[in-house]
Amino acid sequence: MKISKKLIACFLTLMIVGTSVVGCSSKEESEATSSEAKTEDVLNDAEEEASTTDKVFKIGVNQLVQHDALDASYQGFIDGLKEAGYEEGKNIKIDYQNAQGDQSNANTIATKFVNDKVDLILAIATPSAQAAANATKDIPILVTAVTDPASAKLVATNEAPGGNVSGTSDLTPVKEQMNLLTKLLPEAKKVAMLYSSSEVNSEIQVEMAKEAAKELGLETVDASVSNSNEIQQVVQSLVGKVDAIYAPTDNLIASGMQTVSLVAKPAGIPIICGESGMVDNGGLATYGIDYYNLGKLTAAQAVKIFEGTGTTAQMPIEYLSDSELSVLINGELAKELGITIPDEFKDQVK
């Protein structure tokens, strides 16, 4: 069969057009595939970057003993972190340990945190802080509820710590507390200093209290204990010999305040305390700090460490401002003891 040149020309034209269409389609598919691959690479890179920047910080908490002040400090720390965007299960992991008032337990806990390679240690109370500082010179340590970190040999100076330890102090206005004693108990002449002989922070406060008492014309007697089992006996020995008891922010006494009150209250001996939790558990009054706010102040320091805007070496020990100090009086106990509350303190009666 004879095929005309015209027909062949048409056939060749159709083939050329078809090939061009297929070529264009393949090129578009190739370009699309390449684009998808690049997008996937970008997403993978972003995920990888997120996984390295969204770090979960491990925090080891070493609390000496359980009582209202230290518990409030810990809760303030947790809430302060949360307000700053650091939350358990999200970007922080907290290992909370309580030493139950035992120094050897505090040492064991500190060693555990070092072995676990935590990113930060929060030490609540002086003995726990000393345990942590002895366990590591590398892991950042923040202390709280420590009266004088420098005297406890935790830092070079409170203004410039110089090492891996910084934090907040719970130094209370001891002189003002003794002034409060004289205003609530104007007839008092002899005051017992009730404290633990094994706590550096307590010894510091007692010396300050003695100095203030001397200026106020008060006589003082020491009533120290070395463990909780001695509290009842030591307080009993004060009955009939003193007009009042002064108890600083001492962890052993704070955790045993109900025992102190069990003896002091029937004997008619009022107790001026270092902090509000002690008033809640049998003390007459205090002029002190808010430990919850102290914990939040410590949390702000932790955030600086996490975000790289501060270091323990350069971060000074911080204190609550005077505006955050307040008087608290146990009105019911005052009534039971026959104590008349001066008008200037009527608003501070609980």
Side-chain angles (χ1 to χ4, degrees):
M1 186 177 70
K2 188 176 179 181
I3 301 174
S4 68
K5 291 183 180 179
K6 191 173 184 179
L7 182 60
I8 292 173
C10 289
F11 179 72
L12 292 173
T13 301
L14 288 172
M15 287 183 64
I16 292 170
V17 171
T19 302
S20 298
V21 170
V22 171
C24 291
S25 177
S26 299
K27 183 178 180 181
E28 290 174 357
E29 289 177 2
S30 177
E31 289 177 350
T33 301
S34 177
S35 177
E36 290 175 2
K38 289 179 180 178
T39 301
E40 187 175 352
D41 288 341
V42 170
L43 291 174
N44 288 337
D45 290 343
E47 290 177 359
E48 184 177 350
E49 183 178 355
S51 66
T52 58
T53 57
D54 294 344
K55 177 178 179 178
V56 175
F57 294 93
K58 294 187 294 183
I59 305 172
V61 179
N62 190 342
Q63 181 172 323
L64 177 65
V65 68
Q66 185 173 10
H67 64 71
D68 291 352
L70 302 190
D71 293 346
S73 184
Y74 172 63
Q75 190 58 54
F77 181 76
I78 297 301
D79 291 349
L81 287 179
K82 187 175 182 180
E83 290 175 8
Y86 292 88
E87 192 172 351
E88 173 75 34
K90 180 181 175 183
N91 48 12
I92 59 173
K93 182 178 180 181
I94 298 174
D95 183 0
Y96 172 86
Q97 300 288 330
N98 192 305
Q100 304 300 323
D102 190 319
Q103 182 67 60
S104 62
N105 287 344
N107 294 338
T108 300
I109 292 168
T111 300
K112 175 186 183 298
F113 290 157
V114 174
N115 292 336
D116 291 344
K117 297 180 180 179
V118 299
D119 298 296
L120 175 75
I121 295 176
L122 172 68
I124 307 177
T126 303
S128 288
Q130 291 171 325
N134 289 334
T136 178
K137 302 300 179 187
D138 300 315
I139 298 173
I141 300 169
L142 288 179
V143 306
T144 189
V146 174
T147 301
D148 188 348
S151 294
K153 301 187 185 307
L154 295 168
V155 297
T157 67
N158 292 329
E159 295 74 23
N164 67 317
V165 180
S166 188
T168 57
S169 166
D170 66 346
L171 180 62
T172 57
V174 176
K175 184 175 182 179
E176 286 77 3
Q177 289 170 351
M178 298 306 293
N179 283 329
L180 177 64
L181 186 153
T182 59
K183 290 181 178 181
L184 294 177
L185 310 167
E187 303 300 320
K189 297 187 181 304
K190 183 179 287 188
V191 182
M193 302 282 126
L194 182 62
Y195 67 101
S196 168
S197 58
S198 61
E199 291 196 29
V200 176
N201 61 305
S202 300
E203 293 178 341
I204 293 170
Q205 292 175 83
V206 165
E207 288 305 312
M208 295 171 66
K210 287 180 178 179
E211 185 177 339
K214 185 177 181 180
E215 293 177 1
L216 294 167
L218 296 171
E219 182 183 350
T220 61
V221 296
D222 278 1
S224 63
V225 298
S226 59
N227 60 67
S228 59
N229 295 326
E230 296 179 356
I231 294 177
Q232 185 169 348
Q233 180 182 352
V234 169
V235 177
Q236 187 68 52
S237 71
L238 299 173
V239 176
K241 298 178 181 178
V242 299
D243 303 307
I245 293 173
Y246 172 70
T249 54
D250 181 291
N251 294 293
L252 184 61
I253 301 302
S255 60
M257 268 302 294
Q258 291 182 350
T259 301
V260 177
S261 177
L262 185 67
V263 178
K265 181 178 175 181
I269 305 176
I271 309 164
I272 301 299
C273 310
E275 50 93 6
S276 60
M278 299 170 80
V279 174
D280 293 337
N281 287 293
L284 172 64
T286 188
Y287 178 43
I289 69 173
D290 186 325
Y291 277 80
Y292 177 80
N293 287 338
L294 189 69
K296 294 187 75 172
L297 185 62
T298 317
Q301 294 177 316
V303 171
K304 291 178 181 178
I305 292 173
F306 292 158
E307 297 181 353
T309 58
T311 65
T312 54
Q314 301 173 336
M315 194 181 296
I317 298 298
E318 295 189 45
Y319 305 79
L320 291 177
S321 64
D322 291 343
S323 63
E324 295 176 277
L325 303 177
S326 61
V327 172
L328 177 66
I329 300 173
N330 186 329
E332 184 177 340
L333 180 60
K335 186 176 181 180
E336 289 183 38
L337 296 178
I339 296 171
T340 301
I341 300 173
D343 290 341
E344 66 177 297
F345 299 123
K346 294 292 186 182
D347 293 339
Q348 281 78 44
V349 176
K350 181 178 180 179

